[in-house]
Amino acid sequence: MPNPTAAMLVIGDEILSGRTRDANMHFLAQELTKHGIDLKEVRIVSDEAATIETAVQALSQSHDHVFTSGGIGPTHDDITADCIARAFGAAIDVRADARALLEAHYDKSGLELNAARLRMARIPDGAALIDNPVSTAPGFTLGNVHVMAGVPLVFQAMVASVLPGLTGGQPLLSQTLRVDRGEGDIASTLSNLAEDFSDLSIGCYPFQVNGVFGANVVVRGTEGARIDAAMTRLAKELEL
Amino acid sequence: MPNPTAAMLVIGDEILSGRTRDANMHFLAQELTKHGIDLKEVRIVSDEAATIETAVQALSQSHDHVFTSGGIGPTHDDITADCIARAFGAAIDVRADARALLEAHYDKSGLELNAARLRMARIPDGAALIDNPVSTAPGFTLGNVHVMAGVPLVFQAMVASVLPGLTGGQPLLSQTLRVDRGEGDIASTLSNLAEDFSDLSIGCYPFQVNGVFGANVVVRGTEGARIDAAMTRLAKELEL
């Protein structure tokens, strides 16, 4: 059985403008790979309601899971929760369970649960809350969409809350061989290898260090013994 | 007149698996912002022909420019050029101008221009070559799609070759105010500011350092004086 597939939707004017560099995508990619869920696509879109709605609908239909990051805080530019609700035709309002979490949190911290903060309790009907052990304000899962915060520490905590509940497949294993030759020298060897090991994914990723070109050959699959066999043959053929 | 818009398509199994972290997106985002071209969307897709073709068609139709990175080297997994050609219904083969570049380069370096390397001279009919001062093998522009290498040094050099030829708009300017309070405390101030300065984009990006929450308020626009006015009012209202 093939592994479940996933897409990620990053709501991120900040990333598109080049002001900040996304950190959540790389983290999620690594966690999903370990869990046996294949991340097939990432989209980074701007903070525009129609854009977010269209993207989440498309990704939700074409993948088993969608993970979103960003736009669920208390400020005027936090529009993700409402967009997800509209994308699924679900009603959304301040929900008692989420409100109770925030009340307990702000009571303890002595801060006011004002109107802005209460926006973080806006949860679509039918959604399940995602635990946020860092700063309390919850994420939520609606259908196959997991809606999480953009702040990396909170995003990571929410991923840790969500992943154990999802059925994973076989973790993708990989081995890497660094070759200090240009890709063009090893291309035919790799091509033959890819044909003979068609159950594996064989990628070649060139690099350049101090003007010298080399390549990392990465062999990926779910069976360790097959990867070992491919790597052994590769090393032998390249006389490494 | 609004600025031209752009999308980026990253061909990247390597990034989706979490093995490597993309560097090109952040670079391109910064360069486009300086040049007055608005990056509106980034998609990262796996190295699958149908996926690449569908994505490039969609992005090409909805944006003024599309920039791709990755998959134009000499190995079996380098399928981008052929996918772009198919997406536009263009014929593709080894082209004399690209071949001449490679011949001169490999003559000089004493390396063999073998069949694998010659694949890098496969250029769709009607495409314009993109200069590659780092490693010679060219990128190309077909329609509104600029096809570039994934190796960061080469990608950056190709962006530098392409951008001066594109009509830019007004560079997006921004100022940032760091506020050491939770977002919830400043949300209503920001909301009012965003209403009164609807020609600007006002974003609030929370962070957490050593357990203390704060936020960067970023005001973006094309008129420096308006940004100054918004920042002055913001600092006054927050008593900073």
Side-chain angles (χ1 to χ4, degrees), chain A residues 94-103 120-123 129 136-138:
Chain A
V94 170
R95 222 169 73 174
D97 52 353
R99 183 189 185 118
L101 289 172
L102 294 178
E103 277 172 350
M120 296 191 287
R122 287 176 69 76
I123 305 286
L129 300 186
T136 304

Side-chain angles (χ1 to χ4, degrees), chain A residues 27-218:
Chain A
F27 175 81
L28 182 67
Q30 291 181 313
E31 292 302 304
L32 291 177
T33 295
K34 279 190 248 168
H35 201 70
I37 295 177
D38 295 347
L39 181 61
K40 303 295 278 184
E41 181 172 352
V42 176
R43 288 194 199 181
I44 306 172
V45 298
S46 58
D47 305 1
E48 294 164 357
T51 306
I52 296 169
E53 287 170 45
T54 306
V56 84
Q57 284 170 342
L59 295 174
S60 164
Q61 281 161 20
S62 50
H63 299 282
D64 295 319
H65 294 285
V66 180
F67 299 85
T68 80
S69 75
I72 62 168
T75 57
H76 67 284
D77 56 338
D78 288 308
I79 59 174
T80 302
D82 284 77
C83 292
I84 304 291
R86 272 196 301 273
F88 282 90
I92 183 168
D93 205 341
V94 170
R95 222 169 73 174
D97 52 353
R99 183 189 185 118
L101 289 172
L102 294 178
E103 277 172 350
H105 174 69
Y106 287 108
D107 265 4
K108 209 167 96 183
S109 65
L111 291 169
E112 183 201 358
L113 178 53
N114 58 19
R117 291 192 169 113
L118 202 53
R119 288 190 67 221
M120 296 191 287
R122 287 176 69 76
I123 305 286
D125 280 2
L129 300 186
I130 296 175
D131 189 35
N132 169 5
V134 174
S135 54
T136 304
F140 62 84
T141 295
L142 182 63
N144 63 347
V145 181
H146 312 285
V147 178
M148 301 182 288
V151 178
L153 274 176
V154 181
F155 180 83
Q156 290 165 22
M158 288 183 174
V159 169
S161 301
V162 167
L163 266 193
L166 305 183
T167 304
Q170 290 183 282
L172 191 67
L173 307 174
S174 72
Q175 285 187 42
T176 302
L177 186 68
R178 179 186 157 135
V179 183
D180 288 318
R181 296 186 219 163
E183 283 192 293
D185 277 337
I186 61 173
S188 69
T189 302
L190 293 182
S191 179
N192 292 335
L193 190 73
E195 271 181 36
D196 293 345
F197 289 84
S198 59
D199 53 322
L200 302 178
S201 153
I202 294 168
C204 186
Y205 306 100
F207 59 80
Q208 191 192 34
V209 178
N210 299 328
V212 177
F213 280 84
N216 285 306
V217 179
V218 181

Side-chain angles (χ1 to χ4, degrees), chain B residues 9-144:
Chain B
L9 180 65
V10 180
I11 288 107
D13 271 356
E14 270 298 90
I15 293 152
L16 293 173
S17 76
R19 213 189 68 90
T20 61
R21 198 176 157 174
D22 173 73
N24 294 332
M25 178 176 70
H26 185 56
F27 175 81
L28 182 66
Q30 291 180 312
E31 292 302 305
L32 290 177
T33 295
K34 278 188 252 170
H35 201 70
I37 295 177
D38 294 349
L39 181 62
K40 304 295 279 184
E41 180 172 353
V42 177
R43 289 194 199 181
I44 306 172
V45 299
S46 58
D47 304 1
E48 293 164 357
T51 307
I52 296 169
E53 287 170 45
T54 306
V56 84
Q57 284 169 342
L59 295 175
S60 164
Q61 281 160 22
S62 49
H63 299 282
D64 295 319
H65 294 285
V66 180
F67 299 84
T68 80
S69 75
I72 61 168
T75 58
H76 66 285
D77 56 338
D78 288 307
I79 59 174
T80 302
D82 284 78
C83 292
I84 304 292
R86 272 195 301 274
F88 281 90
I92 182 168
D93 206 340
V94 170
R95 224 171 69 174
D97 51 355
R99 182 187 186 122
L101 289 172
L102 294 178
E103 277 172 349
H105 173 70
Y106 287 108
D107 264 5
K108 209 166 96 182
S109 64
L111 292 167
E112 182 202 359
L113 178 53
N114 58 20
R117 291 193 169 112
L118 202 54
R119 289 190 66 222
M120 296 190 287
R122 287 176 68 77
I123 304 287
D125 281 2
L129 300 186
I130 296 175
D131 188 35
N132 169 5
V134 174
S135 54
T136 305
F140 61 85
T141 295
L142 182 63
N144 63 347

Side-chain angles (χ1 to χ4, degrees), chain B residues 224-236:
Chain B
R226 285 291 286 167
I227 298 177
D228 285 344
M231 291 304 268
T232 302
R233 174 170 142 184
L234 180 64
K236 191 175 163 203

